[in-house]
PDB file of all heavy atoms in Angstrom:
ATOM      1  N   LEU A 322      16.194-155.075  49.542  1.00  0.00           N
ATOM      2  CA  LEU A 322      16.663-156.197  48.730  1.00  0.00           C
ATOM      3  C   LEU A 322      15.793-156.381  47.515  1.00  0.00           C
ATOM      4  O   LEU A 322      14.670-155.854  47.405  1.00  0.00           O
ATOM      5  CB  LEU A 322      16.705-157.444  49.581  1.00  0.00           C
ATOM      6  CG  LEU A 322      17.694-157.375  50.731  1.00  0.00           C
ATOM      7  CD1 LEU A 322      17.693-158.712  51.552  1.00  0.00           C
ATOM      8  CD2 LEU A 322      19.097-157.033  50.341  1.00  0.00           C
ATOM      9  N   LYS A 323      16.313-157.131  46.546  1.00  0.00           N
ATOM     10  CA  LYS A 323      15.711-157.313  45.281  1.00  0.00           C
ATOM     11  C   LYS A 323      14.206-157.654  45.361  1.00  0.00           C
ATOM     12  O   LYS A 323      13.384-157.028  44.730  1.00  0.00           O
ATOM     13  CB  LYS A 323      16.417-158.351  44.421  1.00  0.00           C
ATOM     14  CG  LYS A 323      15.879-158.499  43.052  1.00  0.00           C
ATOM     15  CD  LYS A 323      16.765-159.465  42.216  1.00  0.00           C
ATOM     16  CE  LYS A 323      16.314-160.845  42.415  1.00  0.00           C
ATOM     17  NZ  LYS A 323      16.978-161.836  41.520  1.00  0.00           N
ATOM     18  N   ASP A 324      13.880-158.737  46.134  1.00  0.00           N
ATOM     19  CA  ASP A 324      12.476-159.099  46.274  1.00  0.00           C
ATOM     20  C   ASP A 324      11.600-157.991  46.738  1.00  0.00           C
ATOM     21  O   ASP A 324      10.424-157.871  46.373  1.00  0.00           O
ATOM     22  CB  ASP A 324      12.354-160.384  47.115  1.00  0.00           C
ATOM     23  CG  ASP A 324      12.942-161.612  46.414  1.00  0.00           C
ATOM     24  OD1 ASP A 324      13.127-161.592  45.165  1.00  0.00           O
ATOM     25  OD2 ASP A 324      13.290-162.550  47.088  1.00  0.00           O
ATOM     26  N   GLU A 325      12.114-157.244  47.725  1.00  0.00           N
ATOM     27  CA  GLU A 325      11.364-156.105  48.297  1.00  0.00           C
ATOM     28  C   GLU A 325      11.091-155.025  47.211  1.00  0.00           C
ATOM     29  O   GLU A 325       9.989-154.536  47.131  1.00  0.00           O
ATOM     30  CB  GLU A 325      12.049-155.472  49.465  1.00  0.00           C
ATOM     31  CG  GLU A 325      12.241-156.410  50.708  1.00  0.00           C
ATOM     32  CD  GLU A 325      13.166-155.806  51.656  1.00  0.00           C
ATOM     33  OE1 GLU A 325      14.377-155.693  51.396  1.00  0.00           O
ATOM     34  OE2 GLU A 325      12.658-155.442  52.793  1.00  0.00           O
ATOM     35  N   VAL A 326      12.085-154.698  46.452  1.00  0.00           N
ATOM     36  CA  VAL A 326      11.953-153.659  45.424  1.00  0.00           C
ATOM     37  C   VAL A 326      11.014-154.154  44.343  1.00  0.00           C
ATOM     38  O   VAL A 326      10.132-153.422  43.868  1.00  0.00           O
ATOM     39  CB  VAL A 326      13.365-153.330  44.874  1.00  0.00           C
ATOM     40  CG1 VAL A 326      13.165-152.355  43.653  1.00  0.00           C
ATOM     41  CG2 VAL A 326      14.224-152.725  45.894  1.00  0.00           C
ATOM     42  N   ILE A 327      11.087-155.406  43.925  1.00  0.00           N
ATOM     43  CA  ILE A 327      10.190-155.965  42.916  1.00  0.00           C
ATOM     44  C   ILE A 327       8.779-155.830  43.363  1.00  0.00           C
ATOM     45  O   ILE A 327       7.928-155.441  42.617  1.00  0.00           O
ATOM     46  CB  ILE A 327      10.594-157.419  42.547  1.00  0.00           C
ATOM     47  CG1 ILE A 327      11.938-157.445  41.778  1.00  0.00           C
ATOM     48  CG2 ILE A 327       9.516-158.100  41.706  1.00  0.00           C
ATOM     49  CD1 ILE A 327      12.519-158.781  41.588  1.00  0.00           C
ATOM     50  N   ALA A 328       8.483-156.249  44.562  1.00  0.00           N
ATOM     51  CA  ALA A 328       7.065-156.162  45.135  1.00  0.00           C
ATOM     52  C   ALA A 328       6.656-154.724  45.226  1.00  0.00           C
ATOM     53  O   ALA A 328       5.513-154.402  44.847  1.00  0.00           O
ATOM     54  CB  ALA A 328       7.048-156.781  46.575  1.00  0.00           C
ATOM     55  N   PHE A 329       7.541-153.808  45.628  1.00  0.00           N
ATOM     56  CA  PHE A 329       7.207-152.384  45.727  1.00  0.00           C
ATOM     57  C   PHE A 329       6.803-151.835  44.338  1.00  0.00           C
ATOM     58  O   PHE A 329       5.758-151.142  44.192  1.00  0.00           O
ATOM     59  CB  PHE A 329       8.399-151.646  46.282  1.00  0.00           C
ATOM     60  CG  PHE A 329       8.199-150.134  46.353  1.00  0.00           C
ATOM     61  CD1 PHE A 329       7.571-149.545  47.475  1.00  0.00           C
ATOM     62  CD2 PHE A 329       8.692-149.297  45.358  1.00  0.00           C
ATOM     63  CE1 PHE A 329       7.433-148.186  47.529  1.00  0.00           C
ATOM     64  CE2 PHE A 329       8.466-147.925  45.431  1.00  0.00           C
ATOM     65  CZ  PHE A 329       7.877-147.344  46.483  1.00  0.00           C
ATOM     66  N   LEU A 330       7.614-152.165  43.339  1.00  0.00           N
ATOM     67  CA  LEU A 330       7.319-151.651  41.948  1.00  0.00           C
ATOM     68  C   LEU A 330       6.122-152.276  41.332  1.00  0.00           C
ATOM     69  O   LEU A 330       5.371-151.640  40.609  1.00  0.00           O
ATOM     70  CB  LEU A 330       8.583-151.802  41.076  1.00  0.00           C
ATOM     71  CG  LEU A 330       9.764-150.913  41.482  1.00  0.00           C
ATOM     72  CD1 LEU A 330      10.965-151.236  40.672  1.00  0.00           C
ATOM     73  CD2 LEU A 330       9.420-149.452  41.356  1.00  0.00           C
ATOM     74  N   LYS A 331       5.936-153.577  41.662  1.00  0.00           N
ATOM     75  CA  LYS A 331       4.806-154.315  41.107  1.00  0.00           C
ATOM     76  C   LYS A 331       3.499-153.661  41.595  1.00  0.00           C
ATOM     77  O   LYS A 331       2.498-153.487  40.884  1.00  0.00           O
ATOM     78  CB  LYS A 331       4.839-155.766  41.515  1.00  0.00           C
ATOM     79  CG  LYS A 331       3.719-156.589  40.877  1.00  0.00           C
ATOM     80  CD  LYS A 331       3.822-158.044  41.274  1.00  0.00           C
ATOM     81  CE  LYS A 331       2.690-158.843  40.660  1.00  0.00           C
ATOM     82  NZ  LYS A 331       2.787-160.304  40.947  1.00  0.00           N
ATOM     83  N   ALA A 332       3.472-153.255  42.884  1.00  0.00           N
ATOM     84  CA  ALA A 332       2.311-152.601  43.468  1.00  0.00           C
ATOM     85  C   ALA A 332       2.006-151.255  42.836  1.00  0.00           C
ATOM     86  O   ALA A 332       0.963-150.703  42.923  1.00  0.00           O
ATOM     87  CB  ALA A 332       2.488-152.399  44.977  1.00  0.00           C
ATOM     88  N   ARG A 333       3.039-150.725  42.136  1.00  0.00           N
ATOM     89  CA  ARG A 333       2.932-149.417  41.504  1.00  0.00           C
ATOM     90  C   ARG A 333       2.866-149.521  39.963  1.00  0.00           C
ATOM     91  O   ARG A 333       2.994-148.551  39.241  1.00  0.00           O
ATOM     92  CB  ARG A 333       4.093-148.528  41.848  1.00  0.00           C
ATOM     93  CG  ARG A 333       3.854-148.011  43.301  1.00  0.00           C
ATOM     94  CD  ARG A 333       5.116-147.713  44.056  1.00  0.00           C
ATOM     95  NE  ARG A 333       4.833-147.315  45.403  1.00  0.00           N
ATOM     96  CZ  ARG A 333       4.560-148.134  46.401  1.00  0.00           C
ATOM     97  NH1 ARG A 333       4.540-149.467  46.151  1.00  0.00           N
ATOM     98  NH2 ARG A 333       4.289-147.739  47.605  1.00  0.00           N
ATOM     99  N   GLY A 334       2.543-150.751  39.488  1.00  0.00           N
ATOM    100  CA  GLY A 334       2.245-150.966  38.075  1.00  0.00           C
ATOM    101  C   GLY A 334       3.449-151.250  37.177  1.00  0.00           C
ATOM    102  O   GLY A 334       3.299-151.169  35.960  1.00  0.00           O
ATOM    103  N   PHE A 335       4.614-151.611  37.740  1.00  0.00           N
ATOM    104  CA  PHE A 335       5.783-151.948  36.995  1.00  0.00           C
ATOM    105  C   PHE A 335       5.917-153.442  36.950  1.00  0.00           C
ATOM    106  O   PHE A 335       5.550-154.129  37.893  1.00  0.00           O
ATOM    107  CB  PHE A 335       7.030-151.302  37.566  1.00  0.00           C
ATOM    108  CG  PHE A 335       7.175-149.850  37.304  1.00  0.00           C
ATOM    109  CD1 PHE A 335       6.548-148.911  38.167  1.00  0.00           C
ATOM    110  CD2 PHE A 335       7.810-149.330  36.156  1.00  0.00           C
ATOM    111  CE1 PHE A 335       6.702-147.561  37.940  1.00  0.00           C
ATOM    112  CE2 PHE A 335       7.919-147.984  35.927  1.00  0.00           C
ATOM    113  CZ  PHE A 335       7.381-147.049  36.784  1.00  0.00           C
ATOM    114  N   GLU A 336       6.541-153.956  35.864  1.00  0.00           N
ATOM    115  CA  GLU A 336       6.835-155.411  35.804  1.00  0.00           C
ATOM    116  C   GLU A 336       8.339-155.553  35.451  1.00  0.00           C
ATOM    117  O   GLU A 336       8.922-154.747  34.670  1.00  0.00           O
ATOM    118  CB  GLU A 336       5.960-156.118  34.763  1.00  0.00           C
ATOM    119  CG  GLU A 336       6.196-155.611  33.339  1.00  0.00           C
ATOM    120  CD  GLU A 336       5.284-156.376  32.329  1.00  0.00           C
ATOM    121  OE1 GLU A 336       4.978-157.527  32.599  1.00  0.00           O
ATOM    122  OE2 GLU A 336       4.882-155.747  31.378  1.00  0.00           O
ATOM    123  N   LEU A 337       8.952-156.520  36.030  1.00  0.00           N
ATOM    124  CA  LEU A 337      10.318-156.873  35.774  1.00  0.00           C
ATOM    125  C   LEU A 337      10.346-157.548  34.381  1.00  0.00           C
ATOM    126  O   LEU A 337       9.718-158.600  34.178  1.00  0.00           O
ATOM    127  CB  LEU A 337      10.902-157.803  36.804  1.00  0.00           C
ATOM    128  CG  LEU A 337      12.327-158.343  36.565  1.00  0.00           C
ATOM    129  CD1 LEU A 337      13.331-157.210  36.561  1.00  0.00           C
ATOM    130  CD2 LEU A 337      12.631-159.353  37.651  1.00  0.00           C
ATOM    131  N   VAL A 338      11.069-156.945  33.406  1.00  0.00           N
ATOM    132  CA  VAL A 338      11.076-157.475  32.095  1.00  0.00           C
ATOM    133  C   VAL A 338      12.394-158.088  31.621  1.00  0.00           C
ATOM    134  O   VAL A 338      12.523-158.838  30.723  1.00  0.00           O
ATOM    135  CB  VAL A 338      10.645-156.431  31.041  1.00  0.00           C
ATOM    136  CG1 VAL A 338       9.195-156.106  31.182  1.00  0.00           C
ATOM    137  CG2 VAL A 338      11.567-155.199  31.051  1.00  0.00           C
ATOM    138  N   LYS A 339      13.493-157.700  32.396  1.00  0.00           N
ATOM    139  CA  LYS A 339      14.788-158.347  32.124  1.00  0.00           C
ATOM    140  C   LYS A 339      15.669-158.217  33.327  1.00  0.00           C
ATOM    141  O   LYS A 339      15.718-157.218  34.038  1.00  0.00           O
ATOM    142  CB  LYS A 339      15.516-157.626  30.985  1.00  0.00           C
ATOM    143  CG  LYS A 339      16.739-158.278  30.495  1.00  0.00           C
ATOM    144  CD  LYS A 339      17.267-157.746  29.195  1.00  0.00           C
ATOM    145  CE  LYS A 339      18.447-158.566  28.698  1.00  0.00           C
ATOM    146  NZ  LYS A 339      18.820-158.221  27.348  1.00  0.00           N
ATOM    147  N   GLU A 340      16.421-159.312  33.652  1.00  0.00           N
ATOM    148  CA  GLU A 340      17.392-159.341  34.671  1.00  0.00           C
ATOM    149  C   GLU A 340      18.695-159.822  34.091  1.00  0.00           C
ATOM    150  O   GLU A 340      18.750-160.901  33.485  1.00  0.00           O
ATOM    151  CB  GLU A 340      16.959-160.276  35.840  1.00  0.00           C
ATOM    152  CG  GLU A 340      17.914-160.232  36.984  1.00  0.00           C
ATOM    153  CD  GLU A 340      17.428-161.046  38.186  1.00  0.00           C
ATOM    154  OE1 GLU A 340      16.258-161.467  38.222  1.00  0.00           O
ATOM    155  OE2 GLU A 340      18.274-161.253  39.083  1.00  0.00           O
TER     156      GLU A 340
END
Side-chain angles (χ1 to χ4, degrees):
L322 299 180
K323 183 174 86 172
D324 291 339
E325 295 170 292
V326 174
I327 290 171
F329 177 86
L330 292 174
K331 184 177 181 179
R333 285 152 184 82
F335 285 88
E336 63 180 329
L337 175 62
V338 293
K339 185 167 188 172
E340 183 174 350

